[in-house]
Amino acid sequence: MTIDDATYTRPMGTDAHTDRDDSPAATGSRLLWDGGPLSPLNVAAYVTWLPVSFGMLDFARLSAADPVEWLGAACLLGFLALFVARVFLGRDHSRHERWWMAVVLPQAVLALLAIWLLGGGSGAVLLILVAVQLFAILNWRVAIWWQAAFNLGLALIWRQAFGMDWDRLLVELFPIIGFQAFAALTAYYATAVGDTRDELARVNAELLATQSLLEESARGEERLKLSRELHDVAGHKLTALKLNLARLARDPALAGREELGTSTALAHDLLDDIRAVVGELRKHDGVDLRAAIESLARQVHGPRFRIEVTDDARTHTVQAAETLLRCAQEGITNALRHGHPGEIVVWCGRRDETLELRVRDDGAAAPRLAFGNGLTGMRERLAALGGTLQVLPAPRRGVELIASLPAGA
């Protein structure tokens, strides 16, 4: 697994945890297949496979234990089994593209073998199902070459095995290619819609988290202003009042007055109360990251989130808070794009003189870690504030991102 860009565009086909790639293996397949084995698209595929298979099989020859017929039937069942396996792989996006191809390309081979063994032009419909999967996995240029190779194999079978003349062959083949093109375009544009949806969700989450961060910064400024006003104005005047009351208490004519003693006690208590309020307000100095991180997580659908932000997880500047927030976003998006976890844990708090952020997922079991442009940028932003960034394999499975800043950054 490679960990890469902050924009987190896992879908389009290199290793997991990469920057951006050109095949829709994750987002497109997520849109097309993630409804599960009984999603409408998958049910439509089963309904397509069933009459095609029944139309190709000769049940009388099956009853007579004809080995060719049984081998053809095995090819059709193998096609269905691989398609179902592909459906379940479509729900586990942590696998590399070669795993996807390992269950898609054999489908085309089995479909061609079934056509060769059983005859029947309806078997070519199975290549349409292959086309949908290919264009949901690969770069469209590569998918076109693969589909062209399968169609060439189909043409050779029709020509050599069944002696079909070229005129009829072209008449039979072109409608199949047209349906394949329609299916391919459907998969391609569905992938584009999925990419756009994910990008809009990412930008929306970023904007909402930034808004929350700015609101918290404004509240922090107000608290700081109020604590200073209480300390510098009310506190100083009460201190002056206590000094004047103490001076009056030394006057022999007033020393025994109950009112003077009561006023002195009230001034003393009031000054203590103001100091306590100021101290409480100063406990909340800085920018609280909790609301911004929770806002970021609320926009993400799919995995469970466990947000743990301690009360002392505060930064002194908006710049430091924004840097940690972007690191949280980087960790979450990397996990979603490349690990596809069931749970993401975000922890933020102080460790000695360091403010630390940890994002851990339970995604891919054996990640291969590397820094791309996004994480490199995050590391540079942290370094400018005296901080560090680490990306490590999680103890059991998945990846853990650790960003740290000096407490006074």
Side-chain angles (χ1 to χ4, degrees), residues 11-13 22-30 135-140 191 195:
M12 325 261 319
D22 297 320
S23 77
T27 302
S29 56
R30 185 165 64 248
F135 280 83
I137 294 172
L138 296 175
N139 174 287
W140 64 271
T191 299
D195 289 342

Side-chain angles (χ1 to χ4, degrees), residues 136-345:
I137 294 172
L138 296 175
N139 174 287
W140 64 271
R141 296 179 183 86
V142 177
I144 286 176
W145 281 107
W146 276 111
Q147 204 63 34
F150 299 146
N151 287 326
L152 178 60
L154 177 63
L156 291 175
I157 290 172
W158 281 351
R159 174 70 178 172
Q160 300 299 324
F162 307 120
M164 190 179 292
D165 61 66
W166 286 109
D167 291 340
R168 185 185 171 193
L169 190 152
L170 293 175
V171 169
E172 296 283 350
L173 187 60
F174 274 117
I176 295 297
I177 293 175
F179 282 118
Q180 290 174 7
F182 177 78
L185 287 172
T186 301
Y188 180 82
Y189 285 112
T191 299
V193 169
D195 289 342
T196 303
R197 178 199 60 192
D198 288 351
E199 182 66 13
L200 287 175
R202 185 192 67 82
V203 172
N204 185 55
E206 182 178 336
L207 289 174
L208 290 175
T210 302
Q211 179 186 17
S212 176
L213 195 66
L214 292 174
E215 289 173 353
E216 174 57 30
S217 175
R219 286 192 292 268
E221 291 292 333
E222 287 298 319
R223 286 193 299 266
L224 181 61
K225 181 180 178 181
L226 179 59
S227 67
R228 286 174 176 170
E229 289 294 324
L230 285 172
H231 181 272
D232 296 342
V233 178
H236 287 177
K237 289 183 177 179
L238 279 171
T239 301
L241 176 60
K242 285 183 62 178
L243 291 173
N244 280 291
L245 288 172
R247 183 180 177 185
L248 290 173
R250 290 195 294 270
D251 187 336
L254 300 174
R257 297 287 297 270
E258 181 182 353
E259 296 88 344
L260 184 59
T262 302
S263 297
T264 301
L266 288 173
H268 181 78
D269 291 343
L270 184 56
L271 183 58
D272 286 345
D273 290 342
I274 287 179
R275 285 172 175 167
V277 170
V278 170
E280 191 64 29
L281 288 172
R282 294 306 297 263
K283 286 182 181 178
H284 302 287
D285 277 358
V287 182
D288 186 5
L289 291 165
R290 184 192 305 274
I293 293 175
E294 289 177 347
S295 176
L296 191 66
R298 274 196 301 270
Q299 309 306 313
V300 178
H301 304 287
R304 300 180 304 277
F305 272 91
R306 188 148 52 91
I307 308 296
E308 303 173 4
V309 182
T310 62
D311 292 335
D312 57 0
R314 295 174 176 275
T315 65
H316 293 295
T317 66
V318 176
Q319 180 186 8
E322 184 184 15
T323 299
L324 287 178
L325 180 63
R326 294 293 165 255
C327 288
Q329 182 182 18
E330 178 76 8
I332 291 171
T333 312
N334 254 340
L336 292 173
R337 298 254 181 196
H338 313 308
H340 301 276
E343 182 180 64
I344 297 176
V345 179

Side-chain angles (χ1 to χ4, degrees), residues 387-400:
T388 60
L389 178 68
Q390 301 177 73
V391 181
L392 307 170
R396 298 181 64 182
R397 57 180 293 137
V399 173
E400 185 170 29

